[in-house]
Amino acid sequence: MNNSNSMAALLSNVTRNKCMMPLTDGRPVATLPFDCKYRLIDFPLSSLSNAHVNSVFMTFNEGETQSVFDHLGSGSEWGLDSFNSRFFVYIQQDFDRLKEKGLAYFAQQINFLRKSKAPYTVMIGSKFICNADLNAVLKIHKQSEKPVTAVYKKVSPDLAGDEDTIIRFDENGRAVGKFKKDTENLGEKEALALSVFIADTDWVINFIQQMQNAGEIASIAHLLRIHMSEFEVNTYEYTGYMSNITGIKSFFDANMAMLEPANFTSLLYSSQPVYTKIKNEVPTYFSKDSSVINSQLGSGCIVEGRVKDSLISRGSTIKKGANVENSLVFTSSEIKEDAVIKYAIIDKHVVVENGVSVIGTAENPIVIPKGSVVTENVVQV
């Protein structure tokens, strides 16, 4: 790629939301499973890969990186293992500790951007499931002659979390961002910032230094959203499929939406491929007594029971007489004979014993934490 178009990336995964527990016990939102074989982080990484971004600075919370390293490996699936590529994983709390000591806590980010020699920087997160064409955003950014371009999608404000940013335009046409909770007179559709920005790298370095001098600390994309009204911002409307992960129900619904062929095709089979960790496994086995209706299954599963309107991840087993409906079953879980699973999220390595019922509701899906052995009925009232 021509160096005049090259981009570096700051990929932040430090969003914490108590509403996501117990799914996020010990792992970030970024590595939550999606659609049987993907993780949420696959979407920003794939957008970066498709735009040939090969310098990536990733930030995670302390105690949440085991699943990150397990999934990323060498980064080969996203083209991050070549001679000219580099990616780094940092811990947010290390920056907090530097700040407490009065040290230059953003020095690593600034050093990374300077060494990248990329004229443009992408700031992106993993909370929004979308398939952004960053080359298209860069083209619009370069034409705008403004230092920052923010990507947004027009959505019902119900899809935005309280801490998400609504973009509006003042009387001078300047883009102004406010947290949803601080935004008055929400309309039927609002411009929701997707925490995807492209900016001139020199400007980003200067902005980071200003934030450090002012003692402000957060992900750079978050600081951009807070201070959006203080500088000229160009905007780019994303029109593809998007889900916003704000809690258990939105995560459940985002997965279930993949059972609609239009959503599945729009997100995963556009001109922008989505890459994930490759696993060589045997195909899924369906016994002659099994029944599978409107469902998706990863490889390596064994299905002897009934599966309807559900997504079953790699290596899981649905035993004879078991009934799984409107549910997510994550990797290497076992639903034993005559068990009933409805409106539930069964995390990885869970065993549901013979004849046990796990039943939630469409509005309140029940979550069984990873590694659990369920021996008694769990019914959401």
mmCIF file of all heavy atoms in Angstrom, residues 54-96:
data_model
loop_
_atom_site.group_PDB
_atom_site.id
_atom_site.type_symbol
_atom_site.label_atom_id
_atom_site.label_comp_id
_atom_site.label_asym_id
_atom_site.label_seq_id
_atom_site.Cartn_x
_atom_site.Cartn_y
_atom_site.Cartn_z
ATOM 1 N N ASN A 54 -1.218 -2.850 9.647
ATOM 2 C CA ASN A 54 -0.372 -3.898 10.225
ATOM 3 C C ASN A 54 0.387 -3.449 11.468
ATOM 4 O O ASN A 54 1.295 -4.137 11.924
ATOM 5 C CB ASN A 54 0.599 -4.464 9.182
ATOM 6 C CG ASN A 54 1.454 -3.385 8.546
ATOM 7 O OD1 ASN A 54 1.568 -2.281 9.068
ATOM 8 N ND2 ASN A 54 2.042 -3.709 7.404
ATOM 9 N N SER A 55 0.027 -2.296 12.031
ATOM 10 C CA SER A 55 0.584 -1.844 13.311
ATOM 11 C C SER A 55 -0.580 -1.565 14.246
ATOM 12 O O SER A 55 -1.342 -0.613 14.016
ATOM 13 C CB SER A 55 1.424 -0.583 13.133
ATOM 14 O OG SER A 55 2.610 -0.853 12.431
ATOM 15 N N VAL A 56 -0.744 -2.416 15.269
ATOM 16 C CA VAL A 56 -1.923 -2.340 16.137
ATOM 17 C C VAL A 56 -1.497 -2.312 17.604
ATOM 18 O O VAL A 56 -0.747 -3.188 18.058
ATOM 19 C CB VAL A 56 -2.878 -3.528 15.890
ATOM 20 C CG1 VAL A 56 -4.153 -3.364 16.719
ATOM 21 C CG2 VAL A 56 -3.227 -3.656 14.411
ATOM 22 N N PHE A 57 -1.986 -1.341 18.326
ATOM 23 C CA PHE A 57 -1.743 -1.169 19.763
ATOM 24 C C PHE A 57 -3.048 -1.515 20.473
ATOM 25 O O PHE A 57 -4.040 -0.801 20.326
ATOM 26 C CB PHE A 57 -1.338 0.285 20.023
ATOM 27 C CG PHE A 57 -0.929 0.611 21.437
ATOM 28 C CD1 PHE A 57 0.392 0.873 21.741
ATOM 29 C CD2 PHE A 57 -1.863 0.702 22.462
ATOM 30 C CE1 PHE A 57 0.790 1.213 23.034
ATOM 31 C CE2 PHE A 57 -1.488 1.033 23.747
ATOM 32 C CZ PHE A 57 -0.164 1.292 24.037
ATOM 33 N N MET A 58 -3.074 -2.618 21.222
ATOM 34 C CA MET A 58 -4.302 -3.081 21.872
ATOM 35 C C MET A 58 -4.224 -2.869 23.380
ATOM 36 O O MET A 58 -3.180 -3.102 23.992
ATOM 37 C CB MET A 58 -4.532 -4.571 21.602
ATOM 38 C CG MET A 58 -4.528 -4.956 20.150
ATOM 39 S SD MET A 58 -4.916 -6.719 19.928
ATOM 40 C CE MET A 58 -4.219 -6.986 18.292
ATOM 41 N N THR A 59 -5.332 -2.456 23.959
ATOM 42 C CA THR A 59 -5.396 -2.244 25.401
ATOM 43 C C THR A 59 -6.529 -3.075 25.988
ATOM 44 O O THR A 59 -7.646 -3.076 25.458
ATOM 45 C CB THR A 59 -5.639 -0.764 25.734
ATOM 46 O OG1 THR A 59 -4.739 0.044 24.982
ATOM 47 C CG2 THR A 59 -5.417 -0.498 27.214
ATOM 48 N N PHE A 60 -6.213 -3.786 27.083
ATOM 49 C CA PHE A 60 -7.197 -4.609 27.783
ATOM 50 C C PHE A 60 -7.092 -4.334 29.280
ATOM 51 O O PHE A 60 -6.134 -3.728 29.760
ATOM 52 C CB PHE A 60 -6.950 -6.098 27.519
ATOM 53 C CG PHE A 60 -7.153 -6.513 26.091
ATOM 54 C CD1 PHE A 60 -6.107 -6.433 25.173
ATOM 55 C CD2 PHE A 60 -8.381 -6.961 25.649
ATOM 56 C CE1 PHE A 60 -6.283 -6.804 23.857
ATOM 57 C CE2 PHE A 60 -8.576 -7.334 24.328
ATOM 58 C CZ PHE A 60 -7.527 -7.252 23.431
ATOM 59 N N ASN A 61 -8.079 -4.808 30.016
ATOM 60 C CA ASN A 61 -8.051 -4.688 31.472
ATOM 61 C C ASN A 61 -7.212 -5.805 32.088
ATOM 62 O O ASN A 61 -7.106 -6.911 31.544
ATOM 63 C CB ASN A 61 -9.467 -4.739 32.048
ATOM 64 C CG ASN A 61 -10.230 -3.465 31.799
ATOM 65 O OD1 ASN A 61 -9.735 -2.369 32.045
ATOM 66 N ND2 ASN A 61 -11.448 -3.593 31.286
ATOM 67 N N GLU A 62 -6.656 -5.511 33.240
ATOM 68 C CA GLU A 62 -5.867 -6.479 33.991
ATOM 69 C C GLU A 62 -6.717 -7.711 34.322
ATOM 70 O O GLU A 62 -7.890 -7.589 34.671
ATOM 71 C CB GLU A 62 -5.396 -5.816 35.293
ATOM 72 C CG GLU A 62 -4.220 -6.464 35.953
ATOM 73 C CD GLU A 62 -3.612 -5.546 37.003
ATOM 74 O OE1 GLU A 62 -4.369 -5.011 37.829
ATOM 75 O OE2 GLU A 62 -2.387 -5.370 36.981
ATOM 76 N N GLY A 63 -6.129 -8.896 34.183
ATOM 77 C CA GLY A 63 -6.832 -10.125 34.521
ATOM 78 C C GLY A 63 -7.774 -10.631 33.448
ATOM 79 O O GLY A 63 -8.503 -11.604 33.672
ATOM 80 N N GLU A 64 -7.762 -9.989 32.261
ATOM 81 C CA GLU A 64 -8.698 -10.378 31.202
ATOM 82 C C GLU A 64 -8.000 -10.789 29.905
ATOM 83 O O GLU A 64 -8.635 -10.861 28.856
ATOM 84 C CB GLU A 64 -9.653 -9.226 30.902
ATOM 85 C CG GLU A 64 -10.583 -8.870 32.049
ATOM 86 C CD GLU A 64 -11.551 -7.764 31.715
ATOM 87 O OE1 GLU A 64 -11.433 -7.142 30.622
ATOM 88 O OE2 GLU A 64 -12.449 -7.497 32.537
ATOM 89 N N THR A 65 -6.708 -11.077 29.975
ATOM 90 C CA THR A 65 -5.971 -11.276 28.728
ATOM 91 C C THR A 65 -5.743 -12.732 28.338
ATOM 92 O O THR A 65 -5.308 -13.002 27.218
ATOM 93 C CB THR A 65 -4.600 -10.576 28.797
ATOM 94 O OG1 THR A 65 -3.883 -11.075 29.931
ATOM 95 C CG2 THR A 65 -4.763 -9.070 28.904
ATOM 96 N N GLN A 66 -6.039 -13.683 29.220
ATOM 97 C CA GLN A 66 -5.769 -15.085 28.863
ATOM 98 C C GLN A 66 -6.521 -15.493 27.609
ATOM 99 O O GLN A 66 -5.954 -16.101 26.690
ATOM 100 C CB GLN A 66 -6.142 -16.009 30.023
ATOM 101 C CG GLN A 66 -5.862 -17.485 29.715
ATOM 102 C CD GLN A 66 -6.153 -18.403 30.894
ATOM 103 O OE1 GLN A 66 -6.191 -17.963 32.040
ATOM 104 N NE2 GLN A 66 -6.356 -19.669 30.610
ATOM 105 N N SER A 67 -7.817 -15.150 27.547
ATOM 106 C CA SER A 67 -8.610 -15.517 26.375
ATOM 107 C C SER A 67 -8.172 -14.733 25.147
ATOM 108 O O SER A 67 -8.314 -15.206 24.009
ATOM 109 C CB SER A 67 -10.098 -15.279 26.646
ATOM 110 O OG SER A 67 -10.368 -13.906 26.882
ATOM 111 N N VAL A 68 -7.609 -13.543 25.364
ATOM 112 C CA VAL A 68 -7.121 -12.722 24.250
ATOM 113 C C VAL A 68 -5.941 -13.411 23.575
ATOM 114 O O VAL A 68 -5.923 -13.608 22.349
ATOM 115 C CB VAL A 68 -6.707 -11.321 24.753
ATOM 116 C CG1 VAL A 68 -6.081 -10.522 23.606
ATOM 117 C CG2 VAL A 68 -7.909 -10.590 25.340
ATOM 118 N N PHE A 69 -4.931 -13.801 24.374
ATOM 119 C CA PHE A 69 -3.748 -14.444 23.793
ATOM 120 C C PHE A 69 -4.101 -15.794 23.184
ATOM 121 O O PHE A 69 -3.552 -16.190 22.152
ATOM 122 C CB PHE A 69 -2.660 -14.604 24.850
ATOM 123 C CG PHE A 69 -1.997 -13.306 25.218
ATOM 124 C CD1 PHE A 69 -2.143 -12.765 26.483
ATOM 125 C CD2 PHE A 69 -1.236 -12.616 24.286
ATOM 126 C CE1 PHE A 69 -1.531 -11.563 26.821
ATOM 127 C CE2 PHE A 69 -0.617 -11.415 24.609
ATOM 128 C CZ PHE A 69 -0.757 -10.885 25.878
ATOM 129 N N ASP A 70 -5.035 -16.515 23.805
ATOM 130 C CA ASP A 70 -5.461 -17.802 23.270
ATOM 131 C C ASP A 70 -6.082 -17.639 21.893
ATOM 132 O O ASP A 70 -5.859 -18.443 20.983
ATOM 133 C CB ASP A 70 -6.458 -18.463 24.229
ATOM 134 C CG ASP A 70 -6.979 -19.787 23.678
ATOM 135 O OD1 ASP A 70 -6.161 -20.692 23.442
ATOM 136 O OD2 ASP A 70 -8.209 -19.911 23.485
ATOM 137 N N HIS A 71 -6.865 -16.570 21.730
ATOM 138 C CA HIS A 71 -7.543 -16.355 20.452
ATOM 139 C C HIS A 71 -6.611 -15.758 19.403
ATOM 140 O O HIS A 71 -6.613 -16.192 18.241
ATOM 141 C CB HIS A 71 -8.754 -15.440 20.655
ATOM 142 C CG HIS A 71 -9.592 -15.265 19.427
ATOM 143 N ND1 HIS A 71 -10.275 -16.310 18.840
ATOM 144 C CD2 HIS A 71 -9.840 -14.181 18.646
ATOM 145 C CE1 HIS A 71 -10.920 -15.867 17.761
ATOM 146 N NE2 HIS A 71 -10.667 -14.577 17.629
ATOM 147 N N LEU A 72 -5.804 -14.784 19.786
ATOM 148 C CA LEU A 72 -4.973 -14.087 18.811
ATOM 149 C C LEU A 72 -3.824 -14.944 18.307
ATOM 150 O O LEU A 72 -3.495 -14.909 17.116
ATOM 151 C CB LEU A 72 -4.406 -12.800 19.414
ATOM 152 C CG LEU A 72 -5.385 -11.660 19.670
ATOM 153 C CD1 LEU A 72 -4.645 -10.471 20.257
ATOM 154 C CD2 LEU A 72 -6.077 -11.247 18.380
ATOM 155 N N GLY A 73 -3.192 -15.714 19.210
ATOM 156 C CA GLY A 73 -2.010 -16.463 18.808
ATOM 157 C C GLY A 73 -0.969 -15.535 18.215
ATOM 158 O O GLY A 73 -0.644 -14.485 18.774
ATOM 159 N N SER A 74 -0.465 -15.881 17.045
ATOM 160 C CA SER A 74 0.527 -15.036 16.371
ATOM 161 C C SER A 74 -0.112 -13.909 15.573
ATOM 162 O O SER A 74 0.596 -13.058 15.022
ATOM 163 C CB SER A 74 1.376 -15.889 15.430
ATOM 164 O OG SER A 74 0.571 -16.381 14.352
ATOM 165 N N GLY A 75 -1.445 -13.912 15.499
ATOM 166 C CA GLY A 75 -2.146 -12.904 14.707
ATOM 167 C C GLY A 75 -2.188 -13.207 13.228
ATOM 168 O O GLY A 75 -2.557 -12.353 12.415
ATOM 169 N N SER A 76 -1.847 -14.445 12.845
ATOM 170 C CA SER A 76 -1.719 -14.778 11.421
ATOM 171 C C SER A 76 -3.032 -14.629 10.664
ATOM 172 O O SER A 76 -3.034 -14.235 9.493
ATOM 173 C CB SER A 76 -1.177 -16.200 11.252
ATOM 174 O OG SER A 76 -2.036 -17.148 11.853
ATOM 175 N N GLU A 77 -4.155 -14.945 11.311
ATOM 176 C CA GLU A 77 -5.443 -14.879 10.602
ATOM 177 C C GLU A 77 -5.763 -13.460 10.136
ATOM 178 O O GLU A 77 -6.513 -13.268 9.178
ATOM 179 C CB GLU A 77 -6.578 -15.399 11.488
ATOM 180 C CG GLU A 77 -6.620 -16.918 11.635
ATOM 181 C CD GLU A 77 -5.686 -17.450 12.700
ATOM 182 O OE1 GLU A 77 -4.976 -16.633 13.336
ATOM 183 O OE2 GLU A 77 -5.651 -18.678 12.907
ATOM 184 N N TRP A 78 -5.201 -12.459 10.821
ATOM 185 C CA TRP A 78 -5.473 -11.056 10.485
ATOM 186 C C TRP A 78 -4.252 -10.382 9.853
ATOM 187 O O TRP A 78 -4.179 -9.160 9.782
ATOM 188 C CB TRP A 78 -5.916 -10.303 11.742
ATOM 189 C CG TRP A 78 -7.085 -10.967 12.386
ATOM 190 C CD1 TRP A 78 -8.413 -10.795 12.074
ATOM 191 C CD2 TRP A 78 -7.054 -11.949 13.432
ATOM 192 N NE1 TRP A 78 -9.194 -11.609 12.849
ATOM 193 C CE2 TRP A 78 -8.385 -12.339 13.700
ATOM 194 C CE3 TRP A 78 -6.030 -12.543 14.171
ATOM 195 C CZ2 TRP A 78 -8.713 -13.276 14.674
ATOM 196 C CZ3 TRP A 78 -6.348 -13.479 15.135
ATOM 197 C CH2 TRP A 78 -7.674 -13.834 15.380
ATOM 198 N N GLY A 79 -3.289 -11.202 9.413
ATOM 199 C CA GLY A 79 -2.119 -10.667 8.733
ATOM 200 C C GLY A 79 -1.170 -9.908 9.626
ATOM 201 O O GLY A 79 -0.425 -9.027 9.161
ATOM 202 N N LEU A 80 -1.158 -10.242 10.931
ATOM 203 C CA LEU A 80 -0.321 -9.509 11.872
ATOM 204 C C LEU A 80 0.984 -10.231 12.200
ATOM 205 O O LEU A 80 1.685 -9.856 13.145
ATOM 206 C CB LEU A 80 -1.108 -9.257 13.171
ATOM 207 C CG LEU A 80 -2.308 -8.320 13.044
ATOM 208 C CD1 LEU A 80 -3.081 -8.263 14.356
ATOM 209 C CD2 LEU A 80 -1.868 -6.923 12.614
ATOM 210 N N ASP A 81 1.315 -11.266 11.428
ATOM 211 C CA ASP A 81 2.530 -12.038 11.711
ATOM 212 C C ASP A 81 3.582 -11.897 10.613
ATOM 213 O O ASP A 81 4.552 -12.653 10.590
ATOM 214 C CB ASP A 81 2.191 -13.516 11.899
ATOM 215 C CG ASP A 81 1.600 -14.146 10.638
ATOM 216 O OD1 ASP A 81 1.086 -13.393 9.783
ATOM 217 O OD2 ASP A 81 1.633 -15.379 10.516
ATOM 218 N N SER A 82 3.391 -10.928 9.726
ATOM 219 C CA SER A 82 4.364 -10.756 8.656
ATOM 220 C C SER A 82 5.569 -9.957 9.147
ATOM 221 O O SER A 82 5.571 -9.402 10.248
ATOM 222 C CB SER A 82 3.719 -10.032 7.463
ATOM 223 O OG SER A 82 3.446 -8.678 7.797
ATOM 224 N N PHE A 83 6.583 -9.873 8.303
ATOM 225 C CA PHE A 83 7.832 -9.191 8.668
ATOM 226 C C PHE A 83 7.581 -7.728 9.020
ATOM 227 O O PHE A 83 8.211 -7.172 9.926
ATOM 228 C CB PHE A 83 8.826 -9.303 7.506
ATOM 229 C CG PHE A 83 10.137 -8.625 7.774
ATOM 230 C CD1 PHE A 83 11.089 -9.212 8.608
ATOM 231 C CD2 PHE A 83 10.422 -7.397 7.187
ATOM 232 C CE1 PHE A 83 12.291 -8.577 8.867
ATOM 233 C CE2 PHE A 83 11.633 -6.766 7.441
ATOM 234 C CZ PHE A 83 12.573 -7.357 8.273
ATOM 235 N N ASN A 84 6.667 -7.081 8.305
ATOM 236 C CA ASN A 84 6.423 -5.654 8.509
ATOM 237 C C ASN A 84 5.313 -5.368 9.516
ATOM 238 O O ASN A 84 4.968 -4.205 9.738
ATOM 239 C CB ASN A 84 6.071 -4.982 7.174
ATOM 240 C CG ASN A 84 7.241 -4.981 6.211
ATOM 241 O OD1 ASN A 84 8.375 -4.748 6.613
ATOM 242 N ND2 ASN A 84 6.964 -5.252 4.939
ATOM 243 N N SER A 85 4.738 -6.407 10.109
ATOM 244 C CA SER A 85 3.616 -6.219 11.022
ATOM 245 C C SER A 85 4.084 -6.194 12.475
ATOM 246 O O SER A 85 5.120 -6.778 12.815
ATOM 247 C CB SER A 85 2.593 -7.339 10.840
ATOM 248 O OG SER A 85 2.082 -7.336 9.530
ATOM 249 N N ARG A 86 3.295 -5.561 13.318
ATOM 250 C CA ARG A 86 3.574 -5.581 14.753
ATOM 251 C C ARG A 86 2.283 -5.298 15.505
ATOM 252 O O ARG A 86 1.494 -4.438 15.100
ATOM 253 C CB ARG A 86 4.656 -4.563 15.127
ATOM 254 C CG ARG A 86 4.320 -3.149 14.744
ATOM 255 C CD ARG A 86 5.558 -2.258 14.689
ATOM 256 N NE ARG A 86 5.106 -0.863 14.578
ATOM 257 C CZ ARG A 86 5.303 0.072 15.494
ATOM 258 N NH1 ARG A 86 5.973 -0.204 16.600
ATOM 259 N NH2 ARG A 86 4.852 1.289 15.327
ATOM 260 N N PHE A 87 2.053 -6.071 16.537
ATOM 261 C CA PHE A 87 0.932 -5.746 17.414
ATOM 262 C C PHE A 87 1.371 -5.914 18.855
ATOM 263 O O PHE A 87 2.197 -6.771 19.179
ATOM 264 C CB PHE A 87 -0.318 -6.577 17.090
ATOM 265 C CG PHE A 87 -0.270 -8.021 17.505
ATOM 266 C CD1 PHE A 87 -0.803 -8.423 18.723
ATOM 267 C CD2 PHE A 87 0.256 -8.989 16.673
ATOM 268 C CE1 PHE A 87 -0.792 -9.760 19.095
ATOM 269 C CE2 PHE A 87 0.279 -10.328 17.031
ATOM 270 C CZ PHE A 87 -0.242 -10.713 18.256
ATOM 271 N N PHE A 88 0.825 -5.068 19.703
ATOM 272 C CA PHE A 88 1.206 -5.017 21.104
ATOM 273 C C PHE A 88 -0.040 -5.088 21.964
ATOM 274 O O PHE A 88 -1.081 -4.530 21.605
ATOM 275 C CB PHE A 88 1.960 -3.718 21.414
ATOM 276 C CG PHE A 88 3.143 -3.479 20.522
ATOM 277 C CD1 PHE A 88 3.023 -2.694 19.377
ATOM 278 C CD2 PHE A 88 4.372 -4.035 20.802
ATOM 279 C CE1 PHE A 88 4.105 -2.470 18.541
ATOM 280 C CE2 PHE A 88 5.467 -3.825 19.970
ATOM 281 C CZ PHE A 88 5.332 -3.037 18.840
ATOM 282 N N VAL A 89 0.074 -5.755 23.099
ATOM 283 C CA VAL A 89 -1.027 -5.847 24.052
ATOM 284 C C VAL A 89 -0.584 -5.194 25.359
ATOM 285 O O VAL A 89 0.431 -5.597 25.942
ATOM 286 C CB VAL A 89 -1.448 -7.312 24.294
ATOM 287 C CG1 VAL A 89 -2.511 -7.387 25.392
ATOM 288 C CG2 VAL A 89 -1.973 -7.934 22.996
ATOM 289 N N TYR A 90 -1.337 -4.185 25.783
ATOM 290 C CA TYR A 90 -1.020 -3.461 27.013
ATOM 291 C C TYR A 90 -2.179 -3.551 27.991
ATOM 292 O O TYR A 90 -3.332 -3.805 27.601
ATOM 293 C CB TYR A 90 -0.721 -1.987 26.704
ATOM 294 C CG TYR A 90 0.600 -1.775 26.024
ATOM 295 C CD1 TYR A 90 0.701 -1.805 24.633
ATOM 296 C CD2 TYR A 90 1.764 -1.558 26.759
ATOM 297 C CE1 TYR A 90 1.912 -1.617 24.003
ATOM 298 C CE2 TYR A 90 2.987 -1.362 26.124
ATOM 299 C CZ TYR A 90 3.054 -1.392 24.747
ATOM 300 O OH TYR A 90 4.265 -1.204 24.128
ATOM 301 N N ILE A 91 -1.870 -3.319 29.264
ATOM 302 C CA ILE A 91 -2.858 -3.383 30.336
ATOM 303 C C ILE A 91 -3.233 -1.968 30.766
ATOM 304 O O ILE A 91 -2.357 -1.158 31.115
ATOM 305 C CB ILE A 91 -2.305 -4.173 31.550
ATOM 306 C CG1 ILE A 91 -1.876 -5.577 31.115
ATOM 307 C CG2 ILE A 91 -3.333 -4.236 32.675
ATOM 308 C CD1 ILE A 91 -2.963 -6.426 30.529
ATOM 309 N N GLN A 92 -4.519 -1.650 30.747
ATOM 310 C CA GLN A 92 -4.978 -0.309 31.082
ATOM 311 C C GLN A 92 -4.528 0.120 32.474
ATOM 312 O O GLN A 92 -4.143 1.271 32.695
ATOM 313 C CB GLN A 92 -6.513 -0.257 30.989
ATOM 314 C CG GLN A 92 -7.124 1.072 31.402
ATOM 315 C CD GLN A 92 -6.732 2.220 30.493
ATOM 316 O OE1 GLN A 92 -6.558 2.027 29.290
ATOM 317 N NE2 GLN A 92 -6.576 3.408 31.057
ATOM 318 N N GLN A 93 -4.560 -0.803 33.422
ATOM 319 C CA GLN A 93 -4.222 -0.442 34.797
ATOM 320 C C GLN A 93 -2.750 -0.057 34.955
ATOM 321 O O GLN A 93 -2.399 0.666 35.897
ATOM 322 C CB GLN A 93 -4.596 -1.585 35.750
ATOM 323 C CG GLN A 93 -6.088 -1.724 36.001
ATOM 324 C CD GLN A 93 -6.871 -2.183 34.776
ATOM 325 O OE1 GLN A 93 -6.344 -2.884 33.902
ATOM 326 N NE2 GLN A 93 -8.130 -1.785 34.705
ATOM 327 N N ASP A 94 -1.879 -0.496 34.029
ATOM 328 C CA ASP A 94 -0.487 -0.043 34.062
ATOM 329 C C ASP A 94 -0.408 1.457 33.795
ATOM 330 O O ASP A 94 0.401 2.170 34.410
ATOM 331 C CB ASP A 94 0.348 -0.796 33.023
ATOM 332 C CG ASP A 94 0.626 -2.234 33.425
ATOM 333 O OD1 ASP A 94 0.461 -2.554 34.630
ATOM 334 O OD2 ASP A 94 1.000 -3.032 32.555
ATOM 335 N N PHE A 95 -1.243 1.948 32.885
ATOM 336 C CA PHE A 95 -1.277 3.388 32.619
ATOM 337 C C PHE A 95 -1.820 4.146 33.830
ATOM 338 O O PHE A 95 -1.345 5.236 34.158
ATOM 339 C CB PHE A 95 -2.122 3.677 31.373
ATOM 340 C CG PHE A 95 -1.657 2.942 30.141
ATOM 341 C CD1 PHE A 95 -2.554 2.235 29.359
ATOM 342 C CD2 PHE A 95 -0.315 2.936 29.778
ATOM 343 C CE1 PHE A 95 -2.132 1.550 28.236
ATOM 344 C CE2 PHE A 95 0.120 2.257 28.650
ATOM 345 C CZ PHE A 95 -0.789 1.556 27.878
ATOM 346 N N ASP A 96 -2.835 3.550 34.484
ATOM 347 C CA ASP A 96 -3.380 4.175 35.695
ATOM 348 C C ASP A 96 -2.300 4.308 36.771
ATOM 349 O O ASP A 96 -2.203 5.341 37.451
ATOM 350 C CB ASP A 96 -4.548 3.344 36.249
ATOM 351 C CG ASP A 96 -5.728 3.283 35.285
ATOM 352 O OD1 ASP A 96 -5.846 4.187 34.440
ATOM 353 O OD2 ASP A 96 -6.517 2.323 35.375
#
